[in-house]
Amino acid sequence: MSTRTSLIGRIVAASTRHPLIVLLVVIGLTLLALVYTGRHFAMTADTTQLMSKELKWRQREFTFDAAFPQLTNLTMVVVDGATPEIADDAAKRLTAALQEKRDLFRTVRRPDGSPFFEREGLLLLPLDKVKAATVGLIQATPLLAPLATDPSLRGVLGALSNMLEGIKRGQGTLGNIEPMANTLADAFEKTAAGQPAFVSWQTLVGGVPAEARQTRRIVLVQPVMDYTALEPGMGASNAIRKIAQSLGLDPAHGVTVRLTGPVPLADEEFGSLAQDAHLVMGAMVVALLGILWLAVRSVRVVLAILITTIAGLIMTSAIGLLATGRFNLISVAFIPLFVGLGVDFSIQFSVRSLAERLVQPNLRAALTETGASIGRALALSAAAICVGFFAFLPTTYIGVAELGTIAGLGMIVAFGLTIVLLPALLLLLRLPTARMTEVGFTMLAPVDRFVSQHRLAVLVGALVAAIVSAALLPLVRFDFDPLNLKSPKVESMATLQALAADPDWTPYAINVLAPSLAKADAIARVLDGLPEVSRTVSLQSFIPTQQGEKLALIAQAAKTLGPALETATPRPAPTDAELKQSLASTAASLRAVANGPKAATAESVSSVRRLADALERLDAASPDVRAKAAETVSTPLKVVLDQVREELKAGPVTLATLPSDLVEDWMTKDGRARMQVLPRDGRHDNEFLRRFALAVQNVVPDATGAPISTRASGDTIVDAFLQAGVYSIVAIVLLLALVLRRTRDVVLTMLPVLLSGLLTFATCAAFDLPLNFANIIALPLLFGVGVAFNIYFVMAWRAGETAMLKSSLMRAVIFSALTTANAFGALWLSTHPGTASMGRLLMISLGWELLVTLLFRPALLARSPQSKLWF
């Protein structure tokens, strides 16, 4: 095409006539964009803003959140203790400390540790467990009653001595004290050895080892969020960890404090992404520079491409902020999209300039001819990609809609700089001529001949591949659970997985907002009958059943044990001398009983003698060791005595006597009642969660919660991409038809895109590689690259170019694809599952794109443009 008739050729010519002016103007614009970006940069990490607020399921979430605002943006502080007593004490102290930091935490509460549950907790258990607990307390009266007066190691040894006297008189056997002897011996041996030691009086009294749920406490914290930061809740999370450390809540003291919940999960998402960002970014930069050099074989040309790309990226950032006001977690993906597609434009122009430099009289003429020859193809590619990105604007997926806006505007910037700044830079840096005598890919000449000789077989093979791929499309699955995209190694995710097995704290519960408590009871009866439902919880669940029978059992225990606990006046703490005396006398009593004629089994005798040995070692140890041993025994003992005192005060529970903070968590002021529906068997795979959500919504259509929002958001995202896909294909076809003006050329442009897309999805189906919330964002880049490549080839074909596989165009396309594949395929190196899945999908798709480029596309374009036959 003559430069006189080519607008783009004339623009390039003007740029090369005044390269310094162009460079200075672009530097000025870039600096202005940089200043604007610095002053107006804003980014929200609020994931709730990624979806349209007009969606019905979002409206239901807003309604529920407005009814119970204290349940939103929560951090779950999971306190695990070596014993139930340690866990309870740690959670109580941590809660009190956090409640003092009102500037960091809006609310801090223990849903399972309020005074109500401490007093009425026994009533909430099944009748048989209440009976077992009260019988255990009555049987433990001889032990607990004296300990209430002296809750110290001296008191424990005194109670043990009394039990030994009873055994001597035939009122028991060594087997009765064997569990206590083993527990105390183990604790004292570890203390003497300088190791952490813990004693559970609940286990001793109950006679049953504590389960994981009994040694775990939950503190719910609503932190003050800073959405201007990439990790909005990290400040509050760090404060929680620091306060826990200052309280001595660490493994050395038998306590583990971990954070999970919506806030830490979102914050640590960034942390896991940044963990190996240096590796991913390093691989990207090395791949980008290396392949750019292989494409153009000139450091100066690579420098020109990089300057053009960086300037465009800065300008696009400013334009994006101007257009959307702030970036979100998805719209920042415009950076790899811009780099991937912007570099493609620059490679196309640079490689063609190298080819023209071999035949044109001077560098300016070569650059001008480059603009005239491929400018129209670049413009059409940029326009088609813009249309593809702008197709996301009408969708309800706000995150991607804003991404489409920024990326679409970025393509305009990239194209403009490619035909204005890049020619000026290449002229100023003096495009080389000596390094490359042939710009094309002569090594691909045999492939060109093969495709020409076996054209029909290649086309038939492509048709078969398309049919097989289409048949596999129903097997492509979408992973709707965003938790599967998070690194399982981070604390918040590992903790959440541990909680998922706990039916009381599973993150996959469904919330129902009933019009009234009476209506909630009726709904609960229906939901409890569903096979997918384990149970439902409402305010009514905190009103115990069979209260008469349970209160009678508790009253009997209170009559036996209560007076000793309530009227006891604790003795002063023992001195070290008194403690040594107790240790020595108790050790002697243990040995006397063990050696007596009434000794029981060998195991019991061995346990008693082991405890005697441990007591003697403590007697001979330093005062600090004895003080540590005393604390190991007395601290949990005091906790248990306080718990028993409260449990024996249980009284009738009615709706009117429930504490106000508990009622506020389950009922609004206008009488609406919250219900929580828990899944059966702790399952959380996609298939079950979808079935669980549908089953509940068949009964209560307005239900909300993670299973419902996860499924609904997944459907929204898929619908958005399908909608945008249809819009973009229609718009691009219309654009191609308007520019190319021949139906045949439009079909030849779109067929390779469809084939590479089918092959990509078929690969995902065959290897069970699901689409997800992360890798689906790569689809616009893949579609844009495919459309651009096809436009380049069809425009060259229309211009009469033959043997394309060994042309400069093929060199540009291959190295453009390799640049994108290697640079963004580096995402595959990430340990973050979501990021790695994006890199994997990009590599698969670009691999198929290259294969289509080498075989199918040349076979399609083998016939002359003037031929009346299409294929």
Side-chain angles (χ1 to χ4, degrees):
M1 179 180 292
S2 172
T3 57
R4 295 182 179 181
T5 60
S6 169
L7 173 61
I8 296 175
R10 294 198 297 273
I11 293 174
V12 173
S15 173
T16 55
R17 283 196 299 271
H18 309 286
L20 283 175
I21 295 177
V22 169
L23 181 60
L24 291 175
V25 170
V26 172
I27 289 175
L29 291 174
T30 304
L31 290 176
L32 286 175
L34 193 60
V35 171
Y36 182 88
T37 302
R39 291 181 176 178
H40 296 85
F41 180 84
M43 178 170 175
T44 177
D46 188 358
T47 56
T48 63
Q49 297 188 28
L50 298 179
M51 300 285 180
S52 172
K53 296 180 180 179
E54 303 302 320
L55 293 166
K56 290 183 179 179
W57 63 272
R58 292 275 284 141
Q59 292 291 326
R60 294 195 293 269
E61 285 188 336
F62 293 144
T63 300
F64 183 84
D65 291 345
F68 300 100
Q70 70 271 30
L71 301 180
T72 61
N73 291 332
L74 289 177
T75 293
M76 297 178 66
V77 184
V78 182
V79 181
D80 288 304
T83 66
E85 298 93 326
I86 290 178
D88 194 72
D89 178 67
K92 187 176 296 184
R93 290 193 290 132
L94 181 60
T95 300
L98 295 179
Q99 287 173 339
E100 297 177 359
K101 304 292 184 179
R102 298 185 181 276
D103 58 325
L104 292 174
F105 312 112
R106 293 180 179 176
T107 61
V108 180
R109 53 205 174 87
R110 283 186 60 197
D112 58 351
S114 67
F116 169 79
F117 288 105
E118 291 177 353
R119 187 178 62 254
E120 314 294 354
L122 270 180
L123 289 176
L124 295 173
L125 296 176
L127 182 60
D128 58 338
K129 291 191 176 182
V130 175
K131 184 175 182 179
T134 53
V135 168
L137 288 174
I138 292 172
Q139 292 176 345
T141 298
L143 174 65
L144 295 178
L147 291 178
T149 303
D150 189 5
S152 66
L153 178 55
R154 177 187 59 195
V156 171
L157 296 176
L160 182 59
S161 296
N162 291 337
M163 296 172 69
L164 292 172
E165 288 298 324
I167 292 173
K168 289 180 181 179
R169 295 193 296 267
Q171 297 174 354
T173 66
L174 288 183
N176 299 128
I177 65 169
E178 183 179 348
M180 184 176 182
N182 285 329
T183 300
L184 294 177
D186 183 67
F188 295 153
E189 287 169 355
K190 289 181 178 179
T191 302
Q195 301 174 359
F198 313 104
V199 172
S200 173
W201 287 95
Q202 287 188 23
T203 300
L204 283 175
V205 172
V208 179
E211 300 176 356
R213 293 172 61 184
Q214 294 174 301
T215 58
R216 176 173 294 156
R217 301 292 184 269
I218 305 293
V219 180
L220 295 182
V221 177
Q222 197 173 41
V224 175
M225 305 289 284
D226 178 14
Y227 286 115
T228 62
L230 291 178
E231 298 170 292
M234 186 54 69
S237 296
N238 288 336
I240 294 172
R241 294 186 177 97
K242 186 175 181 180
I243 291 171
Q245 186 177 13
S246 68
L247 295 174
L249 306 183
D250 51 45
H253 295 87
V255 181
T256 301
V257 177
R258 298 178 292 172
L259 307 185
T260 188
V263 174
L265 282 168
D267 288 343
E268 290 188 351
E269 183 83 350
F270 289 102
S272 62
L273 287 170
Q275 181 180 0
D276 47 13
H278 60 285
L279 174 64
V280 175
M281 289 301 298
M284 283 185 177
V285 171
V286 170
L288 183 64
L289 294 178
I291 297 178
L292 281 178
W293 186 86
L294 289 173
V296 297
R297 299 294 180 90
S298 168
V299 174
R300 284 175 287 174
V301 178
V302 170
L303 181 61
I305 293 174
L306 290 178
I307 293 173
T308 303
T309 302
I310 293 171
L313 194 57
I314 294 173
M315 292 182 186
T316 301
S317 299
I319 293 172
L321 287 172
L322 185 64
T324 63
R326 84 287 182 265
F327 299 130
N328 61 55
L329 296 178
I330 292 179
S331 65
V332 292
F334 82 88
I335 297 174
L337 292 178
F338 180 89
V339 173
L341 295 170
V343 166
D344 171 60
F345 294 162
S346 295
I347 290 177
Q348 294 293 333
F349 191 95
S350 299
V351 172
R352 185 57 181 261
S353 297
L354 290 171
E356 294 293 341
R357 187 70 179 92
L358 298 176
V359 296
Q360 295 298 328
N362 56 60
L363 179 54
R364 181 171 291 132
L367 293 170
T368 302
E369 182 59 30
T370 298
S373 58
I374 71 166
R376 192 179 180 211
L378 289 175
L380 183 56
S381 295
I385 296 171
C386 279
V387 168
F389 283 135
F390 289 149
F392 284 96
L393 294 181
T395 67
T396 54
Y397 193 8
I398 302 299
V400 173
E402 293 182 355
L403 171 62
T405 300
I406 301 171
L409 294 172
M411 290 303 98
I412 298 174
V413 172
F415 171 70
L417 292 179
T418 299
I419 64 173
V420 176
L421 175 61
L422 184 59
L425 289 172
L426 291 175
L427 186 69
L428 292 171
L429 295 172
R430 298 190 178 278
L431 185 72
T433 58
R435 286 183 180 272
M436 301 177 67
T437 57
E438 173 59 50
V439 180
F441 261 166
T442 54
M443 67 178 69
L444 293 180
V447 181
D448 218 346
R449 289 193 298 271
F450 173 83
V451 173
S452 179
Q453 294 170 2
H454 303 87
R455 178 175 178 270
L456 183 60
V458 171
L459 293 177
V460 171
L463 178 61
V464 172
I467 293 173
V468 172
S469 298
L472 290 174
L473 287 182
L475 300 180
V476 177
R477 63 185 183 90
F478 191 95
D479 187 352
F480 292 96
D481 191 350
L483 296 179
N484 291 337
L485 303 182
K486 300 181 185 296
S487 173
K489 298 180 181 179
V490 299
E491 178 187 89
S492 58
M493 191 60 201
T495 307
L496 191 72
Q497 289 174 336
L499 289 179
D502 188 334
D504 291 333
W505 294 106
T506 174
Y508 298 103
I510 289 178
N511 291 309
V512 174
L513 192 57
S516 65
L517 189 57
K519 185 66 174 176
D521 293 340
I523 295 173
R525 286 192 290 272
V526 178
L527 292 175
D528 285 336
L530 298 176
E532 296 83 4
V533 173
S534 170
R535 62 190 178 95
T536 58
V537 181
S538 68
L539 191 61
Q540 189 68 39
S541 303
F542 301 100
I543 301 177
T545 59
Q546 298 178 290
Q547 290 192 50
E549 297 95 320
K550 294 176 182 177
L551 286 172
L553 292 171
I554 294 173
Q556 185 178 358
K559 182 178 179 180
T560 304
L561 184 58
L565 296 179
E566 295 298 333
T567 61
T569 301
R571 295 174 58 187
T575 64
D576 185 63
E578 291 174 332
L579 195 54
K580 282 177 63 66
Q581 182 179 356
S582 296
L583 289 168
S585 62
T586 305
S589 297
L590 287 168
R591 293 198 183 281
V593 173
N595 296 328
K598 296 185 179 181
T601 64
E603 291 81 2
S604 300
V605 172
S606 175
S607 298
V608 169
R609 287 175 176 169
R610 178 188 172 202
L611 178 57
D613 292 341
L615 295 180
E616 290 170 351
R617 279 197 294 272
L618 278 182
D619 186 26
S622 66
D624 290 342
V625 174
R626 282 191 292 275
K628 181 64 177 175
E631 181 185 1
T632 299
V633 170
S634 62
T635 298
L637 176 59
K638 293 173 183 177
V639 172
V640 166
L641 290 173
D642 289 340
Q643 290 175 342
V644 173
R645 289 188 183 99
E646 289 300 311
E647 289 173 348
L648 295 181
K649 295 177 183 178
V653 178
T654 64
L655 191 61
T657 62
L658 291 176
S660 59
D661 56 345
L662 178 62
V663 174
E664 288 174 359
D665 279 352
W666 294 92
M667 182 176 288
T668 63
K669 292 181 179 180
D670 60 5
R672 289 174 296 166
R674 168 192 167 209
M675 301 172 58
Q676 194 174 54
V677 188
L678 303 174
R680 185 175 296 278
D681 299 331
R683 288 183 57 184
H684 50 84
D685 55 276
N686 282 328
E687 180 184 352
F688 175 78
L689 290 179
R690 176 179 283 273
R691 193 168 69 249
F692 174 50
L694 289 175
V696 174
Q697 285 189 296
N698 284 336
V699 178
V700 192
D702 292 338
T704 63
I708 292 173
S709 61
T710 296
R711 180 180 63 84
S713 59
D715 291 342
T716 299
I717 292 173
V718 172
D719 290 345
F721 275 87
L722 290 175
Q723 180 184 355
V726 172
Y727 289 163
S728 61
I729 290 174
V730 171
I732 289 173
V733 168
L734 291 176
L735 176 64
L736 293 175
L738 180 66
V739 175
L740 300 179
R741 298 183 181 278
R742 287 195 300 191
T743 304
R744 175 192 180 188
D745 295 0
V746 174
V747 173
L748 293 178
T749 302
M750 296 303 296
L751 278 181
V753 179
L754 297 177
L755 178 59
S756 59
L758 284 173
L759 290 170
T760 298
F761 289 127
T763 303
C764 292
F767 292 94
D768 193 27
L769 303 174
L771 297 177
N772 53 53
F773 294 102
N775 62 26
I776 198 172
I777 299 173
L779 295 181
L781 172 61
L782 302 175
F783 184 70
V785 168
V787 169
F789 287 176
N790 285 294
I791 289 175
Y792 299 149
F793 278 101
V794 170
M795 295 295 284
W797 172 70
R798 284 165 60 97
E801 188 166 335
T802 58
M804 292 186 188
L805 288 184
K806 56 183 181 180
S807 66
S808 61
L809 172 59
M810 178 57 71
R811 181 184 189 88
V813 165
I814 286 182
F815 279 107
S816 176
L818 288 177
T819 300
T820 304
N822 282 275
F824 300 102
L827 296 173
W828 203 341
L829 299 175
S830 174
T831 57
H832 182 268
T835 303
S837 71
M838 186 186 300
R840 182 169 55 242
L841 183 62
L842 280 163
M843 290 292 286
I844 292 171
S845 180
L846 287 169
W848 285 120
E849 182 63 38
L850 282 176
L851 185 63
V852 169
T853 296
L854 291 173
L855 296 177
F856 179 61
R857 189 177 288 116
L860 272 182
L861 302 179
R863 293 191 183 277
S864 168
Q866 287 73 39
S867 173
K868 294 183 179 181
L869 297 176
W870 281 33
F871 304 109

